[in-house]
Amino acid sequence: MHRHFLFHKPHGYLSQFIYEKKRHKKLLGELYSFPEGTMAIGRLDEDSEGLLLLTTDGMMSEIVRSKTVEKEYYAQVDGVITNKAIEQLKNGVEIGFKGIRYTTKKCEAKIINQ
């Protein structure tokens, strides 16, 4: 029988249970005794905190991470966010990851609290 968890990932932790590189990182398994085989569905950066879905069901993880499931994100950011910045985000912005440049997909975006 598979288990599913809604979990608040605190700042400073990786969204994973195993880290095989030499540097010590704080992992989710240090916070709670999850069943063997528990995995995060998606991820939050080490410097981020928020709701994270966990499961022991690999198939459920694949389904939720797929494009067929709509996702909604809320982000708190520092600095002043302009209407121009929101329009750029809606149309896709260029980001870099491991030296490779990507353009994000178009999305809905709005300021919810100023």
Side-chain angles (χ1 to χ4, degrees):
M1 181 165 158
H2 290 294
R3 298 196 49 204
H4 311 285
F5 304 89
L6 296 174
F7 184 76
H8 181 268
K9 186 196 90 62
H11 177 273
Y13 283 80
L14 295 181
S15 296
Q16 57 195 67
F17 292 86
I18 299 170
Y19 185 74
E20 296 181 351
K21 296 185 180 175
K22 292 182 181 182
R23 293 184 298 148
H24 175 73
K25 296 285 187 173
K26 294 189 262 182
L27 305 174
L28 295 180
E30 297 171 28
L31 298 169
Y32 182 79
S33 181
F34 291 102
E36 186 175 332
T38 300
M39 65 192 84
I41 300 178
R43 69 181 207 87
L44 292 172
D45 292 338
E46 183 177 6
D47 292 336
S48 298
E49 64 178 88
L51 181 68
L52 190 62
L53 304 175
L54 307 175
T55 186
T56 59
D57 184 350
M59 183 61 75
M60 180 58 67
S61 177
E62 289 291 323
I63 291 168
V64 173
R65 289 186 297 117
S66 75
K67 294 177 183 179
T68 61
V69 175
E70 184 175 329
K71 287 110 180 136
E72 187 170 325
Y73 302 91
Y74 294 84
Q76 179 178 346
V77 297
D78 292 329
V80 177
I81 303 301
T82 65
N83 287 331
K84 181 180 178 184
I86 295 295
E87 288 305 314
Q88 289 173 328
L89 184 60
K90 286 179 177 183
N91 291 307
V93 294
E94 190 174 280
I95 60 173
F97 181 71
K98 295 186 178 182
I100 300 172
R101 306 301 291 173
Y102 299 92
T103 301
T104 61
K105 293 182 179 182
K106 291 184 177 187
C107 66
E108 293 184 34
K110 64 183 174 183
I111 297 172
I112 58 173
N113 189 12
Q114 295 188 26

